[in-house]
Amino acid sequence: MPLPFGVWLRLVLPEPHLPEPASGGLPEGVLRDDPPAPRPCRMFRTDPGTFEHTLVRLLAVRTPWLRAIHENFRRHKQFVDLF
């Protein structure tokens, strides 16, 4: 299977020192040239259908504490579906 030259070069002559990830903040006086990532406008919420589907497939759902969570979730979901 033919490989690009860059792949062969890495296999034959690997880099002796791999770059280390940067940690910490930027030094004083250095300005970023890219804007920071936007913050979410609301808290993360799980998809109710996916949550219930995953919960039902767990064998541990038969334990009392997880069964109580499942029943409470179903009651809350039915209440929300009414409105």
Side-chain angles (χ1 to χ4, degrees):
M1 171 177 193
L3 293 174
F5 177 73
V7 175
W8 279 113
L9 187 61
R10 289 252 178 175
L11 290 173
V12 175
L13 301 170
E15 292 182 18
H17 301 289
L18 296 176
E20 294 182 24
S23 63
L26 292 174
E28 291 272 337
V30 176
L31 300 175
R32 293 183 65 101
D33 60 350
D34 60 332
R39 301 197 75 171
C41 58
R42 60 180 178 215
M43 301 230 0
F44 173 77
R45 291 185 175 187
T46 59
D47 177 55
T50 304
F51 176 73
E52 185 174 21
H53 179 75
T54 303
L55 192 60
V56 169
R57 294 184 58 186
L58 293 175
L59 291 176
V61 80
R62 296 179 185 147
T63 59
W65 69 275
L66 203 50
R67 173 60 78 188
I69 291 173
H70 182 247
E71 292 299 322
N72 191 13
F73 175 77
R74 289 181 69 199
R75 266 188 261 119
H76 176 73
K77 185 178 168 191
Q78 289 171 354
F79 177 74
V80 171
D81 288 342
L82 292 176
F83 293 99

